[in-house]
Amino acid sequence: MTLKPHIILHFKLITMANDLMEKIVSLCKRRGFVFPGSEIYGGLANSWDFGPLGVEMKNNIKQRWWKKFVQERPDMLGLDAALIMNPKVWEASGHLNEFTDPLVECKRCHARFRTDQLETDSKGKYICLECEGKEFTLPRNFNLMFKTFMGPAEEAANAVYLRPETAQGIFADFKNILDSSRKKIPFGIGQIGKAFRNEITPGNFIFRMREFEQMEIEYFIPEPKNDNEWLEYFQMWRHEIIGWIKDCGIDFDKEIFELDVPDGERAHYSKKTIDFQYKFPFGEKELYGLAYRGNYDLSRHQKHSGQDLFAVDEDGNKFIPHVIEPSLGVERTVLAALCSAYREEMAPDAEGGEDKRIVLKFPAWLAPIKVAILPLSKKEELSNLSRRVYDDLKKHFVCEYDETQSIGKRYRRQDEIGTPFCVTVDFESLNDMAATVRERDSMKQERIKMEDIRDYLEEKLEN
Ligand code: GAP
């Protein structure tokens, strides 16, 4: 049987996509971005550890988000709420009843699945992925929150939950912040922190994890008199998210699809949601979400807590603020930025020929290492001078010192982790007190006086 050309192309595209994912996963492990969690014990389903380069990337993302959306905006404040909250919070938010996945259980091995994960046999019967059994219970709802116990006794009265989103901490503290800050509506509260979900189908590397970090904003607005009023704030945050996505080095027009989530598919509280879908190698999937939550959350918390969560307008009228929520995942930002930055290209080698280089073309702010200091040889006089350069630069930029292997190989190593600049100290440096600064993308080299290198890099890296 010969396959039709469009089917061959389809398979080629899938293979290329899988290849890219495999290459990224392998680079992440090899170079210390992301490791499988608890690997020496055989790992733990879908837990991932961020290595030395991964943690720098995550920190860059969180710091930039905080600066841009909390510190630089007069209409924003920050918060770091407790991760384990009074369980009544989850009753009020609806998570205890609504944050569920319908699962069937294999009657033979008791493994649980969502039916959309399962294949069927010729008679349409589901087949268990664990034991190939074909008898299942009817679907039952399983809550995605991780449950634990507070205090020594493991009894129902002491049950608490790991938060499945950072948002509810913001609602629970809304009144305290309003009372202590003199802010007037509209204003927002931003929070970065861990969230936990007992996802039934985690996977695709760090795309869907059980433990991840969110950067969330609840932006409180006056009670809208018509649709245009909330839509204006919604659009403001839509533009902010678009700007942020571009800032991360993602080509918004080519790599993002904005899905206006239709009625019936939105979370129960939301009146409008846009999913910013990124074209990941394994398919187009949600990168970030932007939701108009109405006044659902504060109304529910007012009712369940019995506390007054009203704000007061200029005329002295009480109202429950409505909310626009931009919600961004840290790990999904890392993954999308890695996919967008990854390139394989031919580049000149040391022998005057060409070879393949892998390069992560990150925006400079996102790169885990900003500057590599590379003495041309390990000779003591060069090492001494290079160490002095390193000691000065490391106070200002995240730097790496590397003196092993040929200079060509060291450039390739830095390209592969996305380091924007390499500073090479050679024997000429001992005379002219200058070094060669190489830029990652253009591979152009410039001779810069040592005393000027810091200012030179500062200017280039500032973006
Ligand atoms: N407070 C609203 C909320 O949590 P969500 O769409 O469930 O909404 C927001 O999550 C963002 O958090 C997602 O767009 C994604 O970036 C990230 N996220 C959600 N679940 C995740 C998971 N299991 N693993 C990694 N990131 C996740």
Side-chain angles (χ1 to χ4, degrees):
M1 189 184 81
T2 48
L3 290 175
K4 296 210 167 77
H6 73 275
I7 296 183
I8 294 174
L9 178 67
H10 179 70
F11 283 129
K12 269 193 185 151
L13 289 174
I14 290 179
T15 314
M16 274 162 55
N18 288 343
D19 269 6
L20 175 60
M21 218 35 223
E22 270 172 35
K23 285 172 180 170
I24 288 177
V25 174
S26 144
L27 187 155
C28 283
K29 168 104 197 278
R30 192 171 68 247
R31 299 308 312 277
F33 283 90
V34 183
F35 309 122
S38 327
E39 197 181 12
I40 58 166
Y41 290 100
L44 176 70
N46 226 73
S47 88
W48 299 96
D49 296 342
F50 284 77
L53 300 183
V55 67
E56 290 293 340
M57 249 186 111
K58 278 180 79 171
N59 285 344
N60 290 342
I61 290 166
K62 290 185 279 182
Q63 279 160 13
R64 191 154 178 111
W65 182 94
W66 191 259
K67 183 166 180 291
K68 188 174 167 61
F69 294 121
V70 179
Q71 293 174 337
E72 288 181 1
R73 288 187 64 120
D75 59 346
M76 285 290 302
L77 294 166
L79 176 71
D80 185 15
L83 201 153
I84 297 177
M85 304 173 74
N86 188 315
K88 286 182 186 158
V89 167
W90 308 113
E91 223 175 277
S93 68
H95 281 84
L96 265 178
N97 287 330
E98 318 257 358
F99 200 54
T100 53
D101 256 354
L103 303 182
V104 292
E105 187 171 312
C106 170
K107 287 189 177 169
R108 199 200 288 169
C109 72
H110 303 290
R112 288 170 186 165
F113 306 95
R114 271 201 341 236
T115 50
D116 60 359
Q117 287 176 273
L118 295 174
E119 305 252 312
T120 48
D121 67 8
S122 57
K123 290 181 190 143
K125 284 192 129 191
Y126 290 122
I127 309 166
C128 175
L129 292 173
E130 296 290 332
C131 73
E132 299 191 0
K134 293 185 182 173
E135 298 296 325
F136 288 90
T137 61
L138 288 171
R140 276 170 44 210
N141 280 335
F142 283 89
N143 201 289
L144 296 184
M145 285 197 291
F146 278 98
K147 196 181 198 176
T148 185
F149 298 92
M150 199 164 232
E154 289 195 12
E155 54 194 41
N158 294 336
V160 288
Y161 301 88
L162 305 190
R163 67 181 174 200
E165 60 171 18
T166 58
Q168 295 305 321
I170 299 180
F171 296 121
D173 272 325
F174 167 74
K175 194 68 177 171
N176 273 334
I177 292 182
L178 190 68
D179 291 347
S180 60
S181 70
R182 307 169 64 87
K183 280 272 183 273
K184 293 265 178 293
I185 308 284
F187 79 96
I189 302 172
Q191 173 164 228
I192 299 177
K194 286 262 182 184
F196 298 82
R197 294 180 190 179
N198 199 358
E199 298 276 6
I200 305 306
T201 49
N204 285 324
F205 192 35
I206 53 170
F207 174 78
R208 192 179 302 285
M209 306 166 81
R210 293 200 168 100
E211 176 184 339
F212 56 98
E213 281 187 275
Q214 291 185 314
M215 306 180 287
E216 293 204 294
I217 291 170
E218 304 303 328
Y219 196 78
F220 299 97
I221 62 171
E223 193 165 28
K225 309 219 171 28
N226 54 52
D227 281 356
N228 289 337
E229 286 186 45
W230 65 263
L231 209 47
E232 210 173 286
Y233 292 107
F234 192 88
Q235 286 300 345
M236 172 181 86
W237 282 107
R238 183 177 153 256
H239 287 296
E240 290 287 358
I241 295 181
I242 293 173
W244 167 264
I245 288 175
K246 291 180 179 172
D247 204 21
C248 291
I250 294 167
D251 184 333
F252 186 83
D253 298 326
K254 290 201 185 124
E255 296 179 303
I256 295 286
F257 175 73
E258 281 183 85
L259 175 76
D260 201 338
V261 183
D263 286 351
E265 288 178 31
R266 288 191 299 271
H268 56 278
Y269 49 74
S270 176
K271 296 190 174 162
K272 182 177 172 75
T273 298
I274 290 180
D275 280 354
F276 291 84
Q277 311 238 37
Y278 180 82
K279 290 174 187 158
F280 288 102
F282 44 84
E284 196 179 280
K285 306 257 183 227
E286 178 184 337
L287 172 63
Y288 302 140
L290 173 65
Y292 170 41
R293 296 175 76 125
N295 65 0
Y296 172 83
D297 302 274
L298 286 181
S299 305
R300 294 271 300 190
H301 285 301
Q302 172 154 290
K303 186 163 165 231
H304 282 251
S305 67
Q307 302 290 314
D308 171 347
L309 300 183
F310 287 115
V312 182
D313 69 15
E314 280 156 7
D315 304 322
N317 299 318
K318 285 175 154 191
F319 68 99
I320 299 267
H322 285 226
V323 164
I324 309 286
E325 178 193 66
S327 182
L328 281 60
V330 178
E331 291 80 1
R332 284 195 194 171
T333 310
V334 172
L335 185 56
L338 280 165
C339 293
S340 291
Y342 187 92
R343 304 276 198 296
E344 287 176 10
E345 52 189 37
M346 295 311 285
D349 63 17
E351 284 84 44
E354 274 201 323
D355 71 354
K356 190 176 85 175
R357 73 164 184 158
I358 293 171
V359 52
L360 289 178
K361 293 193 171 174
F362 288 135
W365 69 265
L366 192 52
I369 308 287
K370 309 291 186 226
V371 187
I373 292 89
L374 314 173
L376 198 61
S377 99
K378 282 188 194 167
K379 290 238 166 68
E380 203 182 333
E381 61 264 44
L382 275 198
S383 290
N384 288 343
L385 183 58
S386 307
R387 284 274 171 206
R388 289 219 302 274
V389 176
Y390 171 69
D391 285 341
D392 176 36
L393 293 180
K394 78 177 196 296
K395 292 187 212 129
H396 310 281
F397 318 102
V398 181
C399 290
E400 193 170 278
Y401 185 86
D402 183 8
E403 57 181 16
T404 52
Q405 291 190 311
S406 74
I407 190 71
K409 286 206 173 119
R410 278 181 279 161
Y411 282 151
R412 293 287 184 272
R413 279 176 62 78
Q414 294 302 328
D415 288 344
E416 205 187 30
I417 61 169
T419 307
F421 291 98
C422 291
V423 175
T424 307
V425 179
D426 53 26
F427 290 101
E428 193 51 35
S429 306
L430 298 168
N431 301 321
D432 66 1
M433 291 311 277
T436 301
V437 180
R438 172 192 184 265
E439 197 269 333
R440 179 194 66 203
D441 296 352
S442 64
M443 291 180 281
K444 281 208 183 109
Q445 305 194 357
E446 264 189 84
R447 196 81 184 158
I448 308 284
K449 283 269 170 219
M450 284 189 182
E451 64 201 39
D452 298 331
I453 290 180
R454 185 184 133 195
D455 287 348
Y456 174 91
L457 291 173
E458 211 138 63
E459 196 194 315
K460 297 271 181 191
L461 287 168
E462 191 184 274
N463 56 19

